[in-house]
Amino acid sequence: MTLGLDDTRSQLSAVLRNRGLRRVLAAFAVFRPAESAQWIAILVYAYGEGGTRQMGIAAVVMLVPSALLAPFVSQLGDRMPRERALAIGYLIQGVTLGVTALVLAASLPGALVYATAALVNISITMTRPTHLSILPELAETPGQLTAANALSSTVEGLAIFVGPLLAGLLLAIDGPALVFGVASVGLLVVGVFVWAVHARTRLVERDHDPVGGALAGFHELRKRPGARLLLGFVAGQTVVIGALDVLTVVLAFGVLAMGPSGPGVLSAAVGVGGLLGAAATVTLIGRERLSSAFFLGVLGIGVPIALVAFANGPAAAVVLLGVAGVGKSFFDVTSRTLLQRSVDDDVLARVFGVQEGLAMAALALGSILAPILVGSIGSDAAFLLAG
């Protein structure tokens, strides 16, 4: 069953009238650009310290601890009221971002900069699982839940532009320290803002075993083959996205000779497609079955990326990557909604924590595999394999 245009608008309006959903989505709209901006800032700092090799080291330091700890950190969203867990996560991010800003401003050793920035990224792993698990508690209907997921996807697409733009502006003014400082203030304000949210009362787990509690997400997935399959697709798609960050640079410079702005143009194409796709995902509101839309999202990512291997100019590459961005939006909304529907609410944050850890590891894997593939089989074959 699919809702008409008026009903779709009604669901979107209902989301925006829902005080809890409105606050949570507004907070997410601050968090995502800040997440992107701090990532760019630390990579710029690393490049200034030691070039591309140092950037690789920084990426490993940021991603590996986050990937390992995400299932443990995310259980906070199941151990206490999720609105409190979300607010605490934002406040912790604000504090760790502020500490990193101070370390950078004081020109302390790089090891200390990376250590504090790693704490930022570990605390970031608290947000997405808790955000996605609180939406079903705040939504009053299944249609509102799909609409909230669609709006979250729109925020993700906007962050591709706003985050780098914010980072570039602040880096030009006063370097990485200012990026972390501004992000710190934003997340502290957001934490206070979300503290006023009140979700539906649910039974909170009282088991205080952090190891066993974290493994509950894995135990739930073991019982849910459909959820395991979803996470497998998500991890695979994230490997491709991690590889695409590298492959677009190779494509822009080594194949299409686009000049210094080439990688940014190609990345922006994915972002534009993501925004268009996020707007189009409102057509999913009211659908009881999302498997066909999920499958089309998978094809929408893979086929265009594979066809980039045959692109005969920048325009073709931009169009194809834009289509891949549309597919990614449909993939993100449907995979999140299906996962929210398919696992027990008591462990939902921990299941999303497993997904967050897999995503971090998958990004690192994609970033590592891409240059190896380009060096061994060439860029065209690498795009085909990624697709």
Side-chain angles (χ1 to χ4, degrees), residues 209-363:
D209 174 16
V211 176
L215 295 178
F218 293 97
H219 294 326
E220 177 71 8
L221 290 169
R222 188 175 62 184
K223 298 185 298 183
R224 311 280 187 180
R228 288 201 307 272
L229 181 62
L230 278 172
L231 258 63
F233 271 103
V234 170
Q237 182 249 181
T238 310
V239 170
V240 172
I241 296 302
L244 198 60
D245 289 339
V246 176
L247 291 175
T248 51
V249 175
V250 175
L251 179 69
F253 291 150
V255 179
L256 300 177
M258 294 178 67
S261 63
V265 171
L266 296 179
S267 296
V270 180
V272 170
L275 284 174
L276 294 174
T281 56
V282 298
T283 60
L284 302 176
I285 297 172
R287 286 180 181 263
E288 295 178 1
R289 296 183 59 83
L290 295 174
S291 55
S292 59
F294 172 80
F295 180 66
L296 288 174
V298 173
L299 289 178
I301 298 171
V303 172
I305 290 175
L307 291 177
V308 169
F310 305 100
N312 55 7
V318 165
V319 170
L320 288 169
L321 290 173
V323 174
V326 174
K328 186 178 184 304
S329 288
F330 273 83
F331 177 91
D332 288 343
V333 172
T334 53
S335 63
R336 289 169 179 175
T337 306
L338 287 168
L339 197 58
Q340 288 162 339
R341 292 178 180 180
S342 61
V343 301
D344 287 341
D345 181 68
D346 290 343
V347 294
L348 185 55
R350 278 168 285 186
V351 170
F352 276 117
V354 174
Q355 176 180 305
E356 187 78 4
L358 283 173
M360 294 286 185
L363 279 173

Side-chain angles (χ1 to χ4, degrees), residues 32-273:
R32 276 297 288 116
E35 179 189 21
S36 299
Q38 65 86 30
W39 177 252
I40 292 170
I42 199 64
L43 291 181
V44 168
Y45 170 82
Y47 185 79
E49 291 292 301
T52 54
R53 181 176 180 274
Q54 193 80 356
M55 288 176 68
I57 293 172
V60 170
V61 171
M62 299 300 105
L63 292 173
V64 171
S66 299
L68 294 174
L69 293 175
F72 296 91
V73 173
S74 64
Q75 66 180 306
L76 185 65
D78 291 328
R79 300 285 194 174
M80 63 189 302
R82 286 179 178 141
E83 64 272 25
R84 293 291 172 266
L86 190 60
I88 289 170
Y90 284 136
L91 291 171
I92 292 174
Q93 288 166 49
V95 171
T96 53
L97 283 161
V99 171
T100 307
L102 292 174
V103 170
L104 284 164
S107 300
L108 295 178
L112 190 55
V113 173
Y114 296 139
T116 56
L119 291 176
V120 172
N121 282 272
I122 290 169
S123 66
I124 281 173
T125 64
M126 299 171 61
T127 294
R128 202 171 280 99
T130 311
H131 172 83
L132 294 173
S133 60
I134 199 176
L135 295 182
E137 292 186 4
L138 295 171
E140 297 170 356
T141 65
Q144 279 191 29
L145 177 58
T146 306
N149 282 324
L151 290 172
S152 296
S153 182
T154 302
V155 168
E156 299 266 15
L158 283 170
I160 295 176
F161 295 103
V162 178
L165 182 64
L166 176 66
L169 177 63
L170 297 176
L171 285 167
I173 294 172
D174 197 30
L178 185 60
V179 178
F180 279 90
V182 170
S184 171
V185 173
L187 269 298
L188 289 172
V189 171
V190 158
V192 175
F193 185 68
V194 171
W195 198 270
V197 172
H198 296 287
R200 287 194 296 269
T201 303
R202 64 184 177 86
L203 183 63
V204 177
E205 186 178 325
R206 297 300 180 188
D207 181 12
H208 297 291
D209 174 16
V211 176
L215 295 178
F218 293 97
H219 294 326
E220 177 71 8
L221 290 169
R222 188 175 62 184
K223 298 185 298 183
R224 311 280 187 180
R228 288 201 307 272
L229 181 62
L230 278 172
L231 258 63
F233 271 103
V234 170
Q237 182 249 181
T238 310
V239 170
V240 172
I241 296 302
L244 198 60
D245 289 339
V246 176
L247 291 175
T248 51
V249 175
V250 175
L251 179 69
F253 291 150
V255 179
L256 300 177
M258 294 178 67
S261 63
V265 171
L266 296 179
S267 296
V270 180
V272 170

